Amino acid sequence: MAMNVRRYANAADYLDAAGAALRRQPVVNQLAIAIAQACAKEPERYGTGCLFYSVEDGGEIAGAALQTPPMPVQLSAMSIEVARELGRAFA
């Protein structure tokens, strides 16, 4: 089955879809979770241009990423293959 990269319109949608997967490894993903929660509460906090992505593989969230420019992309733990798919989306 092919991987599916999904871009979310906002942080609330991103957390609805990928939040449970991020929370499975809260220490690794704590910054991404905190940033997404802040964006969901205050959508204007980081301005426009924020990016929220996840990658599904076999119907499961296999990786997630977000960016609040000009800061670097925050990545969840993921395989190299999933990271490649996210890299293509960000490119």
Side-chain angles (χ1 to χ4, degrees):
M1 181 178 267
M3 286 186 232
N4 181 34
V5 177
R6 185 170 171 201
R7 182 174 177 183
Y8 300 91
N10 57 58
D13 291 345
Y14 171 77
L15 285 171
D16 284 345
L22 292 170
R23 288 184 201 94
R24 279 190 219 114
Q25 293 184 303
V27 174
V28 173
N29 298 317
Q30 63 183 328
L31 185 56
I33 293 166
I35 292 169
Q37 288 174 336
C39 288
K41 279 185 177 178
E42 300 175 62
E44 70 286 345
R45 182 176 188 160
Y46 295 102
T48 60
C50 295
L51 302 172
F52 305 95
Y53 285 94
S54 69
V55 178
E56 290 183 8
D57 190 11
E60 298 288 325
I61 300 291
L66 63 83
Q67 183 185 25
T68 55
M71 302 308 290
V73 175
Q74 297 296 314
L75 299 170
S76 69
M78 65 188 76
S79 71
I80 291 171
E81 293 80 15
V82 173
R84 281 189 191 114
E85 290 298 316
L86 277 171
R88 287 183 189 103
F90 274 90

